[in-house]
Amino acid sequence: MRSKKTDKEAALAAKRHAARAAIEHIRHDCRLGVGTGSTTNEFIALLPEVRDRITAVASSSQATTNLLNGLGFEVSPLSQCGTLDLYVDGADETDDHRRLIKGGGAALTGEKILVASSRRFVCIVDESKRVKLLGKFPLPVEVIPMARSSVARKLVQLGGQPQYREGVVTDYGNEILDVHNLKILDPEEMETEINQVPGVVTVGLFARHRPEVVIVGTPEGAYSL
């Protein structure tokens, strides 16, 4: 049996293999969007190696902006970048059809905006994030604060158990409901239905704007879905 330390080292190696594989997708004169999360942080750490290929950088969160600034990258507003060539981000879950649950880091709105503004979306995960059916990870829903209770009631009607993520305020001043035990049999339909609930800013289902490639890291290397 692996020790806890060995398991931690194996998970870190998997994230780094996925991040390294994603670097190969950065072409010259790349306008790059960068997401948020532990695997994405490993990707960010590698960016100085390809600094000469990157002409502009957009970020999905203040946390990511701080990391990029620390490495000497100037982060530009999306309005100044125009259409991005590539967006790289992680996920909390992916199924075999590359449909995702994201938002564990409470940056789902910024992430969705950057995905919609990019020509290509590459998702990087470790193998523990790969599932047959989305929904074991609680589904994040960003909500306007005054609508939290009404949105929660609607999520209960859909079969979920929403839980307020205490102490979390998003970069846009909103709150997060994490929906447990939701049966996501049709991710595209569920994404549309939740997005239409008044007071919802966005839902952490990335099914309609799924990545072109999901890179899955293992302790020994990486492969693509």
Side-chain angles (χ1 to χ4, degrees):
M1 180 180 293
R2 288 177 175 173
S3 67
K4 290 185 179 180
K5 181 178 180 181
T6 302
D7 284 343
K8 185 175 180 180
E9 291 173 345
L12 180 58
K15 292 177 181 183
R16 287 177 172 170
H17 284 305
R20 173 63 64 184
I23 288 290
E24 301 305 314
H25 289 264
I26 299 177
R27 307 295 185 229
H28 287 284
D29 297 322
C30 180
R31 286 172 293 183
L32 177 67
V34 185
T36 301
S38 59
T39 306
T40 308
N41 290 348
E42 298 300 327
F43 172 77
I44 292 169
L46 297 173
L47 287 178
E49 298 179 12
V50 293
R51 190 186 303 270
D52 61 336
R53 302 184 202 170
I54 300 169
T55 58
V57 182
S59 165
S60 70
S61 69
Q62 187 59 51
T64 294
T65 296
N66 294 341
L67 287 175
L68 290 163
N69 289 162
L71 292 173
F73 289 94
E74 182 179 348
V75 177
S76 302
L78 183 60
S79 58
Q80 294 180 11
C81 294
T83 300
L84 300 172
D85 298 302
L86 175 67
Y87 178 62
V88 177
D89 199 1
D92 299 300
E93 283 187 346
T94 179
D95 67 12
D96 291 343
H97 301 284
R98 306 188 310 279
R99 298 173 297 198
L100 313 175
I101 285 181
K102 293 173 49 56
L108 58 165
T109 293
E111 291 167 352
K112 228 166 211 189
I113 291 169
L114 291 186
V115 167
S117 302
S118 301
R119 292 190 175 94
R120 185 170 173 80
F121 174 21
V122 172
C123 181
I124 51 176
V125 297
D126 65 79
E127 58 185 344
S128 70
K129 305 300 196 310
R130 187 176 178 185
V131 299
K132 292 295 183 184
L133 183 67
L134 296 176
K136 183 177 180 180
F137 187 91
L139 177 65
V141 180
E142 184 167 346
V143 299
I144 293 172
M146 71 171 291
R148 192 178 84 204
S149 295
S150 60
V151 172
R153 289 193 292 271
K154 177 61 177 178
L155 293 170
V156 169
Q157 293 174 11
L158 293 175
Q161 297 174 328
Q163 181 177 345
Y164 169 51
R165 196 183 298 182
E166 293 188 19
V168 173
V169 178
T170 72
D171 286 349
Y172 306 99
N174 299 313
E175 297 174 345
I176 299 288
L177 292 171
D178 293 308
V179 189
H180 298 255
N181 302 319
L182 191 62
K183 292 183 179 179
I184 308 176
L185 302 178
D186 187 332
E188 290 87 349
E189 181 180 348
M190 182 70 71
E191 180 179 0
T192 298
E193 186 165 8
I194 294 176
N195 273 333
Q196 290 175 341
V197 176
V200 169
V201 178
T202 198
V203 58
L205 276 169
F206 286 62
R208 295 193 173 277
H209 290 89
R210 70 186 73 179
E212 283 73 23
V213 178
V214 174
I215 299 173
V216 182
T218 74
E220 294 76 31
Y223 63 91
S224 297
L225 299 177

